[in-house]
Short mmCIF file of all heavy atoms in Angstrom, two decimals:
data_model
loop_
_atom_site.label_atom_id
_atom_site.label_comp_id
_atom_site.label_asym_id
_atom_site.label_seq_id
_atom_site.Cartn_x
_atom_site.Cartn_y
_atom_site.Cartn_z
N GLY A 297 -6.82 -7.15 13.32
CA GLY A 297 -6.31 -8.51 13.40
C GLY A 297 -7.10 -9.53 12.63
O GLY A 297 -7.18 -10.69 13.04
N LYS A 298 -7.67 -9.13 11.48
CA LYS A 298 -8.48 -10.05 10.70
C LYS A 298 -7.71 -10.78 9.61
O LYS A 298 -8.30 -11.61 8.91
CB LYS A 298 -9.67 -9.30 10.10
CG LYS A 298 -10.64 -8.78 11.16
CD LYS A 298 -11.84 -8.07 10.52
CE LYS A 298 -12.79 -7.54 11.59
NZ LYS A 298 -13.95 -6.84 10.99
N SER A 299 -6.42 -10.47 9.42
CA SER A 299 -5.62 -11.28 8.51
C SER A 299 -5.72 -12.72 8.95
O SER A 299 -5.67 -13.03 10.15
CB SER A 299 -4.16 -10.83 8.54
OG SER A 299 -4.04 -9.47 8.18
N ALA A 300 -5.86 -13.66 8.00
CA ALA A 300 -6.28 -15.01 8.40
C ALA A 300 -5.75 -16.08 7.48
O ALA A 300 -5.38 -15.83 6.33
CB ALA A 300 -7.81 -15.09 8.46
N LEU A 301 -5.74 -17.32 8.03
CA LEU A 301 -5.36 -18.53 7.31
C LEU A 301 -6.62 -19.30 6.95
O LEU A 301 -7.50 -19.50 7.80
CB LEU A 301 -4.44 -19.38 8.19
CG LEU A 301 -3.99 -20.74 7.65
CD1 LEU A 301 -3.05 -20.54 6.45
CD2 LEU A 301 -3.29 -21.53 8.75
N PHE A 302 -6.71 -19.76 5.69
CA PHE A 302 -7.87 -20.48 5.19
C PHE A 302 -7.45 -21.78 4.54
O PHE A 302 -6.33 -21.92 4.02
CB PHE A 302 -8.64 -19.64 4.16
CG PHE A 302 -9.28 -18.40 4.71
CD1 PHE A 302 -8.57 -17.21 4.80
CD2 PHE A 302 -10.60 -18.43 5.15
CE1 PHE A 302 -9.16 -16.07 5.30
CE2 PHE A 302 -11.20 -17.30 5.66
CZ PHE A 302 -10.48 -16.12 5.74
N SER A 303 -8.38 -22.73 4.53
CA SER A 303 -8.21 -23.95 3.73
C SER A 303 -8.58 -23.63 2.29
O SER A 303 -9.15 -22.59 1.98
CB SER A 303 -9.10 -25.06 4.27
OG SER A 303 -10.47 -24.71 4.13
N GLY A 304 -8.28 -24.58 1.40
CA GLY A 304 -8.57 -24.37 -0.01
C GLY A 304 -10.05 -24.29 -0.34
O GLY A 304 -10.42 -23.79 -1.41
N ASP A 305 -10.91 -24.77 0.58
CA ASP A 305 -12.35 -24.65 0.37
C ASP A 305 -12.97 -23.49 1.13
O ASP A 305 -14.19 -23.40 1.26
CB ASP A 305 -13.06 -25.96 0.72
CG ASP A 305 -12.83 -26.39 2.17
OD1 ASP A 305 -12.19 -25.63 2.93
OD2 ASP A 305 -13.28 -27.49 2.54
N GLY A 306 -12.12 -22.57 1.62
CA GLY A 306 -12.61 -21.33 2.21
C GLY A 306 -12.92 -21.37 3.69
O GLY A 306 -13.53 -20.44 4.21
N ARG A 307 -12.50 -22.40 4.42
CA ARG A 307 -12.74 -22.47 5.86
C ARG A 307 -11.63 -21.71 6.59
O ARG A 307 -10.44 -21.95 6.36
CB ARG A 307 -12.78 -23.91 6.35
CG ARG A 307 -13.99 -24.70 5.89
CD ARG A 307 -13.93 -26.14 6.38
NE ARG A 307 -12.85 -26.88 5.75
CZ ARG A 307 -11.78 -27.32 6.39
NH1 ARG A 307 -11.62 -27.09 7.69
NH2 ARG A 307 -10.84 -27.99 5.75
N LYS A 308 -12.02 -20.80 7.49
CA LYS A 308 -11.02 -20.06 8.27
C LYS A 308 -10.41 -20.98 9.32
O LYS A 308 -11.13 -21.63 10.09
CB LYS A 308 -11.64 -18.83 8.94
CG LYS A 308 -10.60 -18.00 9.71
CD LYS A 308 -11.23 -16.86 10.48
CE LYS A 308 -11.65 -15.73 9.57
NZ LYS A 308 -12.07 -14.54 10.34
N LEU A 309 -9.08 -21.00 9.37
CA LEU A 309 -8.36 -21.84 10.31
C LEU A 309 -7.76 -21.06 11.46
O LEU A 309 -7.57 -21.62 12.54
CB LEU A 309 -7.24 -22.60 9.57
CG LEU A 309 -7.71 -23.44 8.37
CD1 LEU A 309 -6.52 -24.07 7.67
CD2 LEU A 309 -8.70 -24.51 8.81
N MET A 310 -7.45 -19.80 11.26
CA MET A 310 -6.97 -18.92 12.34
C MET A 310 -6.98 -17.50 11.83
O MET A 310 -7.07 -17.26 10.62
CB MET A 310 -5.55 -19.27 12.81
CG MET A 310 -4.44 -19.10 11.78
SD MET A 310 -3.78 -17.39 11.56
CE MET A 310 -2.98 -17.12 13.11
N GLU A 311 -6.93 -16.52 12.74
CA GLU A 311 -6.68 -15.14 12.37
C GLU A 311 -5.70 -14.54 13.35
O GLU A 311 -5.48 -15.09 14.46
CB GLU A 311 -7.97 -14.32 12.32
CG GLU A 311 -8.70 -14.15 13.63
CD GLU A 311 -9.96 -13.31 13.46
OE1 GLU A 311 -10.51 -13.24 12.35
OE2 GLU A 311 -10.38 -12.70 14.46
N ILE A 312 -5.08 -13.42 12.99
CA ILE A 312 -3.93 -12.92 13.75
C ILE A 312 -4.34 -12.06 14.94
O ILE A 312 -3.48 -11.53 15.64
CB ILE A 312 -2.95 -12.13 12.87
CG1 ILE A 312 -3.59 -10.80 12.38
CG2 ILE A 312 -2.49 -12.97 11.69
CD1 ILE A 312 -2.59 -9.86 11.75
N GLY A 313 -5.66 -11.93 15.19
CA GLY A 313 -6.09 -11.10 16.32
C GLY A 313 -5.52 -11.52 17.65
O GLY A 313 -5.37 -10.71 18.56
N GLY A 314 -5.16 -12.80 17.78
CA GLY A 314 -4.61 -13.28 19.04
C GLY A 314 -3.11 -13.16 19.17
O GLY A 314 -2.54 -13.52 20.22
N LEU A 315 -2.42 -12.66 18.13
CA LEU A 315 -0.97 -12.51 18.21
C LEU A 315 -0.59 -11.33 19.10
O LEU A 315 -1.37 -10.39 19.26
CB LEU A 315 -0.40 -12.30 16.81
CG LEU A 315 -0.57 -13.45 15.81
CD1 LEU A 315 0.07 -13.08 14.48
CD2 LEU A 315 0.03 -14.74 16.34
N PRO A 316 0.61 -11.37 19.68
CA PRO A 316 1.06 -10.26 20.55
C PRO A 316 1.46 -9.04 19.72
O PRO A 316 2.63 -8.68 19.64
CB PRO A 316 2.24 -10.86 21.30
CG PRO A 316 2.80 -11.88 20.35
CD PRO A 316 1.60 -12.46 19.64
N ARG A 317 0.47 -8.39 19.14
CA ARG A 317 0.74 -7.29 18.23
C ARG A 317 1.21 -6.04 18.99
O ARG A 317 0.85 -5.82 20.14
CB ARG A 317 -0.51 -6.98 17.40
CG ARG A 317 -0.88 -8.14 16.46
CD ARG A 317 -2.15 -7.84 15.69
NE ARG A 317 -3.30 -7.78 16.58
CZ ARG A 317 -4.33 -6.96 16.42
NH1 ARG A 317 -4.34 -6.10 15.42
NH2 ARG A 317 -5.34 -6.99 17.26
N SER A 318 1.98 -5.21 18.30
CA SER A 318 2.53 -4.00 18.91
C SER A 318 1.46 -2.92 19.05
O SER A 318 0.52 -2.84 18.25
CB SER A 318 3.68 -3.45 18.06
OG SER A 318 4.70 -4.41 17.91
N LYS A 319 1.63 -2.08 20.06
CA LYS A 319 0.77 -0.91 20.26
C LYS A 319 1.66 0.31 20.43
O LYS A 319 2.60 0.30 21.22
CB LYS A 319 -0.12 -1.10 21.48
CG LYS A 319 -1.13 -2.24 21.35
CD LYS A 319 -2.03 -2.33 22.57
CE LYS A 319 -3.03 -3.46 22.43
NZ LYS A 319 -3.91 -3.58 23.63
N LEU A 320 1.37 1.34 19.69
CA LEU A 320 2.12 2.59 19.80
C LEU A 320 1.50 3.46 20.89
O LEU A 320 0.28 3.49 21.06
CB LEU A 320 2.13 3.33 18.46
CG LEU A 320 2.78 2.58 17.30
CD1 LEU A 320 2.67 3.40 16.01
CD2 LEU A 320 4.24 2.26 17.59
N ASP A 321 2.34 4.19 21.60
CA ASP A 321 1.89 5.08 22.66
C ASP A 321 0.98 6.16 22.06
O ASP A 321 1.41 6.96 21.23
CB ASP A 321 3.11 5.73 23.32
CG ASP A 321 2.75 6.67 24.46
OD1 ASP A 321 1.55 6.97 24.64
OD2 ASP A 321 3.66 7.11 25.17
N PRO A 322 -0.30 6.21 22.44
CA PRO A 322 -1.22 7.18 21.82
C PRO A 322 -0.87 8.63 22.11
O PRO A 322 -1.27 9.52 21.34
CB PRO A 322 -2.58 6.81 22.42
CG PRO A 322 -2.26 6.09 23.68
CD PRO A 322 -0.97 5.37 23.44
N LYS A 323 -0.12 8.90 23.16
CA LYS A 323 0.30 10.28 23.43
C LYS A 323 1.39 10.71 22.45
O LYS A 323 1.42 11.87 22.01
CB LYS A 323 0.80 10.40 24.86
CG LYS A 323 -0.29 10.21 25.90
CD LYS A 323 0.25 10.40 27.31
CE LYS A 323 -0.85 10.23 28.35
NZ LYS A 323 -0.35 10.39 29.73
N ARG A 324 2.29 9.80 22.15
CA ARG A 324 3.37 10.12 21.22
C ARG A 324 2.94 9.95 19.77
O ARG A 324 3.44 10.64 18.87
CB ARG A 324 4.58 9.22 21.51
CG ARG A 324 5.80 9.56 20.69
CD ARG A 324 6.96 8.65 21.00
NE ARG A 324 8.08 8.92 20.11
CZ ARG A 324 9.02 8.05 19.79
NH1 ARG A 324 8.96 6.81 20.29
NH2 ARG A 324 10.00 8.36 18.98
N PHE A 325 1.99 9.02 19.53
CA PHE A 325 1.55 8.71 18.17
C PHE A 325 0.03 8.83 18.10
O PHE A 325 -0.67 7.83 17.91
CB PHE A 325 1.98 7.29 17.80
CG PHE A 325 3.46 7.05 17.82
CD1 PHE A 325 4.07 6.51 18.94
CD2 PHE A 325 4.24 7.35 16.72
CE1 PHE A 325 5.43 6.27 18.97
CE2 PHE A 325 5.61 7.12 16.74
CZ PHE A 325 6.21 6.59 17.87
N PRO A 326 -0.51 10.02 18.26
CA PRO A 326 -1.98 10.16 18.26
C PRO A 326 -2.59 9.80 16.91
O PRO A 326 -2.21 10.35 15.88
CB PRO A 326 -2.18 11.64 18.59
CG PRO A 326 -0.90 12.32 18.19
CD PRO A 326 0.17 11.32 18.43
N GLY A 327 -3.53 8.87 16.94
CA GLY A 327 -4.21 8.46 15.73
C GLY A 327 -3.47 7.48 14.86
O GLY A 327 -4.00 7.02 13.84
N TRP A 328 -2.23 7.12 15.22
CA TRP A 328 -1.47 6.16 14.42
C TRP A 328 -2.06 4.76 14.59
O TRP A 328 -2.71 4.45 15.60
CB TRP A 328 -0.01 6.14 14.87
CG TRP A 328 0.81 7.32 14.43
CD1 TRP A 328 0.53 8.63 14.67
CD2 TRP A 328 2.04 7.29 13.72
NE1 TRP A 328 1.52 9.43 14.15
CE2 TRP A 328 2.46 8.63 13.57
CE3 TRP A 328 2.84 6.28 13.22
CZ2 TRP A 328 3.64 8.97 12.91
CZ3 TRP A 328 4.03 6.61 12.57
CH2 TRP A 328 4.42 7.94 12.41
N GLN A 329 -1.81 3.90 13.60
CA GLN A 329 -2.21 2.50 13.67
C GLN A 329 -1.03 1.61 13.32
O GLN A 329 -0.09 2.03 12.62
CB GLN A 329 -3.36 2.21 12.71
CG GLN A 329 -4.66 2.92 13.06
CD GLN A 329 -5.75 2.60 12.05
OE1 GLN A 329 -5.48 2.30 10.90
NE2 GLN A 329 -6.99 2.66 12.50
N VAL A 330 -1.07 0.39 13.80
CA VAL A 330 -0.12 -0.65 13.40
C VAL A 330 -0.87 -1.62 12.50
O VAL A 330 -1.87 -2.21 12.91
CB VAL A 330 0.47 -1.37 14.62
CG1 VAL A 330 1.37 -2.51 14.17
CG2 VAL A 330 1.26 -0.39 15.49
N LEU A 331 -0.38 -1.76 11.26
CA LEU A 331 -1.06 -2.54 10.23
C LEU A 331 -0.18 -3.71 9.79
O LEU A 331 1.05 -3.66 9.93
CB LEU A 331 -1.37 -1.66 9.02
CG LEU A 331 -2.16 -0.39 9.29
CD1 LEU A 331 -2.25 0.44 8.01
CD2 LEU A 331 -3.54 -0.69 9.83
N PRO A 332 -0.77 -4.76 9.23
CA PRO A 332 0.04 -5.86 8.69
C PRO A 332 0.76 -5.46 7.41
O PRO A 332 0.35 -4.54 6.70
CB PRO A 332 -0.99 -6.96 8.42
CG PRO A 332 -2.22 -6.57 9.17
CD PRO A 332 -2.21 -5.07 9.20
N THR A 333 1.81 -6.19 7.10
CA THR A 333 2.52 -6.07 5.83
C THR A 333 2.03 -7.15 4.87
O THR A 333 1.18 -7.98 5.20
CB THR A 333 4.02 -6.27 6.03
OG1 THR A 333 4.25 -7.61 6.49
CG2 THR A 333 4.59 -5.27 7.02
N ARG A 334 2.61 -7.15 3.69
CA ARG A 334 2.42 -8.26 2.76
C ARG A 334 2.86 -9.55 3.45
O ARG A 334 3.86 -9.58 4.18
CB ARG A 334 3.24 -8.02 1.49
CG ARG A 334 2.98 -9.03 0.37
CD ARG A 334 3.92 -8.79 -0.80
NE ARG A 334 3.61 -7.56 -1.52
CZ ARG A 334 3.12 -7.51 -2.75
NH1 ARG A 334 2.82 -8.63 -3.40
NH2 ARG A 334 2.90 -6.35 -3.34
N CYS A 335 2.13 -10.62 3.23
CA CYS A 335 2.43 -11.92 3.83
C CYS A 335 3.21 -12.79 2.84
O CYS A 335 3.15 -12.58 1.62
CB CYS A 335 1.15 -12.63 4.25
SG CYS A 335 -0.07 -12.80 2.91
N HIS A 336 3.93 -13.75 3.38
CA HIS A 336 4.66 -14.71 2.55
C HIS A 336 4.63 -16.08 3.20
O HIS A 336 4.53 -16.19 4.43
CB HIS A 336 6.12 -14.28 2.37
CG HIS A 336 6.30 -13.01 1.62
ND1 HIS A 336 6.17 -12.92 0.25
CD2 HIS A 336 6.57 -11.75 2.05
CE1 HIS A 336 6.37 -11.67 -0.13
NE2 HIS A 336 6.61 -10.94 0.94
#
Side-chain angles (χ1 to χ4, degrees):
K298 295 182 181 180
S299 301
L301 177 68
F302 293 87
S303 64
D305 58 5
R307 291 178 293 113
K308 182 185 286 188
L309 304 177
M310 64 82 67
E311 64 179 25
I312 68 168
L315 296 181
R317 294 178 293 145
S318 302
K319 296 182 180 179
L320 299 177
D321 181 350
K323 293 183 179 179
R324 186 180 175 206
F325 300 95
W328 285 56
Q329 294 179 333
V330 176
L331 306 174
T333 63
R334 187 185 290 249
C335 54
H336 295 284

